[in-house]
Amino acid sequence: DRYPEEVDLSSCEKEPIHIIGVTQANGVLVACEKDTGKISQVSENCKEYFGIPAESLLGSGLESILEEDHIKKIFQAIKEEGVFPIEETKLNGNRFIVIPHTTSENLILDIEPIKDRTSSFEFQKELSSILNTLNASEDSQSLCEDAAKITKSIFGYDRVMIYKFDEEWNGKVIAEELNQGMESWLGLQYPASDIPKQARQLFLKNRVRTISDVNYSPVKILPQLSPLTNSPLDLTNSKLRGVSPIHIEYLQNMGVGASLTAALISNGKLWGLLACHHYKPKFINYYQRQTCEFLIQIFSNELSLKSSNNFLVNIEKLDELRIKLISQIHQENSIKKGLSSQSTKLTDLIKCSGAAIVLNGKIKLVGETPGKKEIKKLTREFLAKKKDSLFFSNHLSNFFPESQNFKNTGSGILSLRLGQSERDFLIWFRPEIIQSVDWGGNPENKATYDQEKKRLTPRKSFEKWTEQLTGVSDTWKDFEISGARKLSESVSYVILENQKKEIDTLN
Ligand code: BLA
């Protein structure tokens, strides 16, 4: 048996999932040369679906599976860098939809059997209900709840979740819709390693990802190496891309039979995921995926808009306070007095228990703070050595262990250096907040090493596991950090002015 410390979760990030060499089983993948259309690679299930064995397709032209006219349109789109046609083809008595995309060398066709048809009337109705619902959501939280509701009603997955990432890429279920009688996962948190970095990055490129049958048999791509590049085919943008065995096992451990996962993006950054589970296999066709693309696009636009508006409203309030504080400094002709002795204080700018003004190494305290001796040590031994003038954390003892001694007043700090000096700071303090995190499964057992499979296997239990947090304060919000930075710039300017005055009087 291996010891737990040998479990190296960083190896998760190294699995090259975009060149996995297999596809899912609900369609056929055909890759060909971008210039000639000569078929160079094909998924092994072409026999089953088209009635044509891989050996016959490889090396032949696209006319063995598509009409002349269809092929012409595809190559015209490549030439003009236009939109690819989405058309049907008939093979072996069955109808298929052909979804093309290109990589640097290849034209890749995802070819999926047509089972049911969404009428264009239904399609229209869905799009307008998405638009109307999400445009009417009042704030970010209700936007998430509305998106979960409408996703459940359109697509009918058993469980629909809005999953939001934190600064460290842990994630939390913040909205959920489920079938009656199912156990809720609302509020549960999951560690970053459950969705490694390369998997998150793929979501910025290919935003809707479905796994139609978790218990599928992976279909080999033949040959494994592309004769064009001598390397495995890049499946980044293929909807048929096979799934990492680790993630399959993860879903099996959760009892999931099919999933739909889609990217939620705020101001260009992956903010979260729309994550849906079904307990049986479930296929979502091209038009349904398009509907989902539309839904997450509207969601992401609304989210970006709401968070920008929120930021602007908050920063405006802080601007007023900053102007007041600076005018007090001028009235008092003293930075310390201006920030601490009048009606508006440094501590009013940002929610905190107290603050410290450190000038020339001398300390003025406002509100509840650690003692002067502790703050002196904190600035000299820690903050003065930081390259950046800004430092903030809601868990200071992770960086400066001695702060354990004053966690009641300073579990979190937001600090800004004034000008270039190593002796001038503004520091806001936040107390410890007793809080707990409900993890979906014990985070100590994120994964174990499996001797037989010679790889990591994900945890087996996702039961709620509560962790008590100590030495942690509320987090510092973007607008608070930005407001503090602006104040420190204004105060630095006053310091410079004063220095200049002194020089002037000396002359
Ligand atoms: C992928 N893991 C994922 C995805 C999700 C999760 C949403 C993307 C799914 C997709 O691409 O279809 C995780 N799913 C969750 C979580 C919930 C959920 C947190 O429903 C909560 C409710 N996974 C592990 C470990 C490793 C790992 C230890 O637990 C690595 C050793 C890897 N997860 C992993 C990989 C992928 C993944 C490699 C990408 C799968 C792929 O695209 O092939």
Side-chain angles (χ1 to χ4, degrees), residues 410-429:
S411 279
I413 68 165
L414 166 54
S415 158
L416 276 151
R417 199 186 297 202
L418 299 171
Q420 300 303 315
S421 162
E422 286 175 10
R423 291 158 63 83
D424 300 340
F425 295 90
L426 296 179
I427 311 172
W428 287 263
F429 295 93

Side-chain angles (χ1 to χ4, degrees), residues 9 11-13 15 17 20 161 163 173 185 190-191 193-196 198-199 202-203 209-211 241-244 246-247 250-251 254 259-261 273 275 277 446-447 456-459:
L9 287 165
S11 67
C12 294
E13 297 189 354
E15 187 186 355
I17 56 178
I20 192 165
M161 297 170 277
Y163 184 81
V173 178
W185 293 354
Y190 298 79
S193 53
D194 283 15
I195 317 172
Q198 83 283 26
L202 276 184
F203 277 106
R209 161 89 159 145
T210 55
I211 302 172
R241 176 169 62 86
V243 189
S244 156
I246 301 175
H247 184 54
Y250 182 97
L251 290 172
M254 276 184 167
S259 71
L260 179 159
T261 315
L273 297 170
H277 290 170
K446 290 182 192 82
L456 291 180
T457 59
R459 61 192 179 282

Side-chain angles (χ1 to χ4, degrees), residues 49 73 77 114-115 208 247 255 290 346 356 364 421 450 468:
Y49 280 104
K73 282 188 201 161
I114 297 171
K115 289 177 189 155
V208 175
H247 184 54
Q290 289 295 100
L346 183 59
K364 171 76 194 170
S421 162
D450 187 313
Q468 221 59 49

Side-chain angles (χ1 to χ4, degrees), residues 343-358:
S343 60
T344 302
K345 297 185 169 50
L346 183 59
T347 44
D348 295 322
L349 190 74
I350 291 170
K351 200 182 81 180
C352 64
S353 54
I357 306 152
V358 185

Side-chain angles (χ1 to χ4, degrees), residues 201-236:
Q201 282 170 342
L202 276 184
F203 277 106
L204 289 175
K205 298 183 184 151
N206 196 348
R207 297 185 173 187
V208 175
R209 161 89 159 145
T210 55
I211 302 172
S212 320
D213 182 0
V214 167
N215 299 305
Y216 80 112
S217 306
V219 183
K220 263 209 202 97
I221 295 174
L222 299 175
Q224 279 284 286
L225 297 184
S226 160
L228 303 179
T229 61
N230 212 24
S231 48
L233 192 61
D234 181 351
L235 300 175
T236 299

Side-chain angles (χ1 to χ4, degrees), residues 390-427:
L390 168 71
F391 175 83
F392 66 93
S393 166
N394 70 331
H395 199 169
L396 179 61
S397 61
N398 277 348
F399 303 88
F400 184 68
E402 273 177 58
S403 70
Q404 273 295 347
N405 302 329
F406 54 79
K407 64 180 184 176
N408 294 336
T409 46
S411 279
I413 68 165
L414 166 54
S415 158
L416 276 151
R417 199 186 297 202
L418 299 171
Q420 300 303 315
S421 162
E422 286 175 10
R423 291 158 63 83
D424 300 340
F425 295 90
L426 296 179
I427 311 172

